[in-house]
Amino acid sequence: MHTRLASRWILLVLMTFTMSAARAEKLTIERLFSAPDLSGPSLRAPQISPDGRLVAYLKGAERNKDRMDLWAYDIAKGHHRLLVDSSKLVPQEHALSSEEEQRRERQRTSSLSGIVEYQFSPDSRFLLVPLGGDLYLYDLRAKPNEAVRRLTHTASYETDAKFSPLGRYVSFIRDQNLVVFDLTAGKEIPITHDGGGVISFGTAEFIAQEEMSRTTGYWWSPDEKRIAYTRVDESPVPEVERFEIYADRSQVVKQRYPAAGAPNANVQLFVAPISPAAPTAPPSVAAAGAPARVDLGSDTDFYLARVNWFPDGSALAVQRESARPEDIEFVARRPGSRGDAAAVERAQRQVG
């Protein structure tokens, strides 16, 4: 009886102490949004390495919960370790390019800074890390102080970076053009050159990103010998003004917006051959082969919803959606083939 009564008193004292401590700290607006997070540390974008040994993830810095660092958890050892401290690698925050800013808005990561995305190489040895507008390679087998290799160092922003399927190349978008970096040769291979203004290559236009959940505009073949990419011409799309509202100011931004019933962007699909950079090429830049346009039919008023390579790399599978939402068309196309409709296998279905 005495033991039970003593336990109740101890519990009552602990509850009183906890409630007093909770009342002691007043929650202000500033505290709600400052670090550390009231809900405790949380991880974002977890990925298991292809070999199944690591779980990589992003976690907010101790003093800035919205600035993401790259961490890894060793499954066998049960150990967490910091791989890339974003503030040490790039101490100065850089303004986002307009393309990257819009891309993050549509991916719902615009409130974050530091490392917001990354990718394992196919062999699990490397991590591709975009940060501050440039690209870095982290070698998981190297000593921590020798693990980071900088791939790009330009004033322009590199976006939508990814490894090729076998890991020899890294591809990305810079200044509205598609570029491939040969990791073995240490040389860039420009795939396109004419991007700028209303013309962009390898990017997903507004409708694709916002309505179709397609965030990229280029696709590697499984053998990484070819790469398919879009050419987007936004000149038919009307230009509108939108307002960015900040705490201390507002800003008028002009944007091409395909409102309902208005003309859409003109989207074309191309395939370019990829070969390793030649030893005799300039020290930093090599050249790609001539691209071929993929024949998607005479009707250009369509949305490009999906593009995938067949597993053997022999053909592309393309999903087109007409301006009439009830029509979806699936096209199987061998790169370089042209001609009449017989060369294109179509399957059309009515969406009820």
Side-chain angles (χ1 to χ4, degrees), residues 204-216 304 306:
E205 73 280 9
F206 180 89
I207 291 294
Q209 293 189 47
E210 194 70 23
E211 307 296 341
M212 298 183 173
S213 299
R214 176 168 67 81
T215 58
T216 189
L304 188 65
R306 298 287 182 271

Side-chain angles (χ1 to χ4, degrees), residues 220-228 271 294 308-318 331-337 343 345:
W220 281 98
S221 65
D223 59 5
E224 64 183 31
K225 292 182 179 179
R226 289 177 289 188
I227 192 167
V271 174
V294 178
N308 296 97
W309 285 89
F310 278 56
D312 62 0
S314 64
L316 286 166
V318 180
V331 182
R333 184 48 130 165
R334 294 183 183 278
S337 60
E345 301 173 17

Side-chain angles (χ1 to χ4, degrees), residues 229-284:
Y229 61 90
T230 59
R231 178 187 185 273
V232 178
D233 179 1
E234 290 190 301
S235 58
V237 181
E239 193 173 60
V240 300
E241 292 183 346
R242 61 181 176 87
F243 299 91
E244 294 282 357
I245 308 299
Y246 301 94
D248 58 347
R249 61 187 173 89
S250 62
Q251 181 180 355
V252 179
V253 179
K254 291 185 177 181
Q255 176 184 342
R256 292 189 179 269
Y257 180 74
N264 294 306
N266 190 326
V267 181
Q268 298 172 338
L269 188 63
F270 290 82
V271 174
I274 303 293
S275 57
T280 56
S284 61

